[in-house]
Amino acid sequence: MKTPEKMKAADLLSPNVLSVREVETPQPGPADVLIQVASCAICSSDVSLLAQPWPGQPPYGEFIPGHEYSGVIAAKGETVDEFRVGDRVAVEAHFGCGRCRNCRRGNYTSCLNYGKREKGHRANGFTTNGGFAQYVINHVNTIYPIPDSVGFAEASLITNLGCVLYGLETIGGYLVGDQVAVIGPGPLGLISVEAAKALCAGKVYLIGTRASRLQVGAAVGADRLIDSNREDPVQVVREETGNIGADLVIESSGSAQGIKMAIAMARRMGKILLLGFPDDPVSADFASLAKDNKAIYTVRGEGWGNCGRAVSLLASGKVDLKPLVTHSFPLAEIEEGFKTFRERIGGAIKVVVKPNDDDAGIP
Ligand SMILES: [Zn+2]
Ligand SMILES: [Zn+2]
């Protein structure tokens, strides 16, 4: 496969201004691969870094965002013998420096040299170039082979599933028979429902305010939908768990109300996993946490190789991310894609951009 010298890419020129233009196709280093991008999903992190620069983000005019993507290996560095040109792959965003205290213990998504390219750290789509382009460079440690049965669009969502699985691994991982409450039917919440069911949780509750999203939750396996405009979620979960509370609450809304609710509906010694990031400081009932021995866990990114486990779950058919991919746009219409995602036009959940849609090379 011959790669062209120039490629089309969406360059971030200034806050919220993405311009699709021709740039040099990047060249892989000795341990890198060049990926021809088939699908790159828009994430709420993209919306926030478009509006306000991310820590360590390259200067405007020199930065291609996009961190959730999949594609085909088009070229590789001389030391890469783990993959072949033509392999279909999905990626994870984080590549740790490998030398800080956290990386040396395997916690590369919490790299202490985050944003320091000269120390070896990369976070494609955040601090190094990402996938809203026809081609992108990835270190070999950040790619995962995907079987033919997994489509590129759903494969571009594996960082989301990887993040949920990383969270579940962090809290102990064993969910068989557990009562799990998920707050917030956004992409991570819906994927949390799917992952909990795949890991044989007992009853899974999904809490939200939008009926259409709750219906998607039902379609992907939630056992009990709670519309918080119509029912009191804390009361429902308490009642339906024999007045005990949920074994695990996954908070994915990032709202102050969601965090308060999570603490209130977790059982004594229950666990709370925070997947949503609140914009502002939140006051919460720490007395309930302390007196009832509840634990709050946080996760940063999709660590411990959980994107590989995510591919495995997808390939097994136990988790299906296809229902979450509601819209797709060619690269030239990326602005329209962002608008659709931001304003949830047409019930948008995940919107993907296909940078090579006009090219014949990719299915
Ligand atoms: Zn993301
Ligand atoms: Zn590090």
Side-chain angles (χ1 to χ4, degrees):
M1 199 188 298
K2 181 149 170 37
T3 53
E5 282 172 22
K6 300 265 187 191
M7 65 169 189
K8 288 189 203 112
D11 208 343
L12 186 61
L13 298 187
S14 57
N16 288 321
V17 180
L18 275 175
S19 168
V20 177
R21 50 188 191 174
E22 280 215 322
V23 298
E24 300 274 319
T25 304
Q27 298 296 316
D32 296 331
V33 298
L34 179 73
I35 298 172
Q36 187 181 24
V37 181
S39 173
C40 184
I42 296 173
C43 171
S44 51
S45 315
D46 295 318
V47 172
S48 66
L49 68 81
L50 252 61
Q52 206 171 15
W54 199 263
Q57 182 175 307
Y60 289 120
E62 297 171 29
F63 175 48
I64 303 164
H67 58 277
E68 301 181 357
Y69 53 91
S70 61
V72 172
I73 296 179
K76 60 192 183 83
E78 62 266 25
T79 70
V80 178
D81 58 6
E82 298 90 341
F83 292 87
R84 285 182 299 194
V85 169
D87 282 354
R88 304 168 81 250
V89 291
V91 304
E92 67 180 307
H94 293 88
F95 178 65
C97 72
R99 56 206 276 190
C100 74
R101 187 177 171 81
N102 285 347
C103 283
R104 291 188 64 183
R105 290 163 179 240
N107 302 310
Y108 56 91
T109 60
S110 289
C111 177
L112 298 170
N113 285 315
Y114 189 93
K116 294 184 183 161
R117 182 71 184 85
E118 69 283 7
K119 288 264 197 181
H121 174 270
R122 304 181 208 176
N124 278 8
F126 295 100
T127 66
T128 44
N129 281 341
F132 291 133
Q134 288 184 300
Y135 294 90
V136 62
I137 297 287
N138 269 76
H139 190 276
V140 67
N141 285 11
T142 61
I143 59 176
Y144 298 90
I146 50 173
D148 290 345
S149 61
V150 173
F152 285 119
E154 54 179 325
S156 63
L157 269 51
I158 69 149
T159 52
N160 297 265
L161 179 54
C163 173
V164 169
L165 294 179
Y166 181 38
L168 296 179
E169 187 174 2
T170 299
I171 62 152
Y174 193 49
L175 297 186
V176 179
D178 279 0
Q179 307 278 304
V180 178
V182 178
I183 301 171
L188 285 182
L190 294 167
I191 292 172
S192 296
V193 167
E194 292 201 55
K197 292 308 287 187
L199 298 174
C200 300
K203 190 166 173 180
V204 175
Y205 303 77
L206 178 63
I207 297 140
T209 52
R210 278 165 288 142
S212 57
R213 280 286 178 95
L214 289 172
Q215 285 314 317
V216 177
V220 298
D223 299 297
R224 173 70 158 96
L225 307 176
I226 307 172
D227 180 340
S228 56
N229 287 329
R230 298 171 56 187
E231 292 182 286
D232 175 357
V234 174
Q235 201 182 346
V236 171
V237 170
R238 287 211 154 270
E239 273 172 20
E240 297 189 15
T241 54
N243 223 15
I244 286 174
D247 298 298
L248 168 64
V249 185
I250 301 177
E251 206 303 304
S252 74
S253 75
S255 69
Q257 197 197 4
I259 290 171
K260 287 176 187 169
M261 211 184 265
I263 294 171
M265 68 173 58
R267 71 159 156 78
R268 182 171 293 158
M269 274 204 92
K271 293 173 179 175
I272 297 153
L273 173 61
L274 292 187
L275 295 182
F277 302 147
D279 290 329
D280 299 305
V282 174
S283 62
D285 186 359
F286 274 72
S288 163
L289 281 174
K291 286 180 193 161
D292 281 326
N293 212 343
K294 299 173 188 180
I296 296 187
Y297 296 80
T298 59
V299 285
R300 182 182 160 87
E302 60 294 322
W304 296 343
N306 270 290
C307 286
R309 295 183 192 267
V311 170
S312 177
L313 262 187
L314 270 189
S316 73
K318 293 196 170 85
V319 163
D320 183 7
L321 299 179
K322 287 191 289 293
L324 307 189
V325 183
T326 53
H327 295 73
S328 83
F329 291 88
L331 187 63
E333 292 169 27
I334 188 168
E335 301 259 32
E336 194 61 30
F338 267 92
K339 184 178 158 65
T340 303
F341 179 75
R342 255 191 221 106
E343 298 173 18
R344 298 184 185 130
I345 295 169
I349 301 176
K350 285 299 269 190
V351 174
V352 302
V353 172
K354 297 188 166 177
N356 286 285
D357 230 20
D358 300 334
D359 287 21
I362 247 169

